[in-house]
Amino acid sequence: MGLYDIPIIVEKLYDSMVNIPDPKDWPDYIGGNRLVGDRLYSFYAGLQLGMQLSEACRPEELTPPQCDNCNFGPVEQPEGGTGIA
């Protein structure tokens, strides 16, 4: 197999998982720009797939840390916004 040959499994995964995004589902700020819409949709779909693969490969369920002094609630930021501590 050459450096740029795509394995058949990748083609099969692509054909079964990739759907063409519908411009009516895009956010208003894209303004019908097909290139931006396709790139945003592709990134989002890839991110979802990566998270699903990560979850499937995790040996045990992910649980929050168990400690008495952990505080993951919103906090006031110096510039006035909120964040996570």
Side-chain angles (χ1 to χ4, degrees), residues 5-65:
D5 291 338
I6 297 174
I8 192 69
I9 187 66
V10 173
E11 290 184 40
K12 289 187 178 296
L13 284 169
Y14 179 87
D15 290 339
S16 67
M17 298 179 75
V18 174
N19 26 349
I20 298 171
D22 190 345
K24 72 176 174 42
D25 296 330
W26 295 346
D28 291 336
Y29 67 86
I30 292 177
N33 185 333
R34 184 154 186 94
L35 180 61
V36 173
D38 286 345
R39 289 173 57 196
L40 181 62
Y41 179 84
S42 295
F43 176 78
Y44 178 64
L47 188 61
Q48 284 183 312
L49 179 59
M51 295 298 288
Q52 290 171 359
L53 286 171
S54 174
E55 182 65 27
C57 294
R58 185 170 287 121
E60 56 191 48
E61 186 176 335
L62 186 61
T63 58

Side-chain angles (χ1 to χ4, degrees), residues 56-78:
C57 294
R58 185 170 287 121
E60 56 191 48
E61 186 176 335
L62 186 61
T63 58
Q66 303 297 318
C67 63
D68 295 331
N69 60 352
C70 294
N71 180 5
F72 296 105
V75 295
E76 264 315 300
Q77 298 296 314

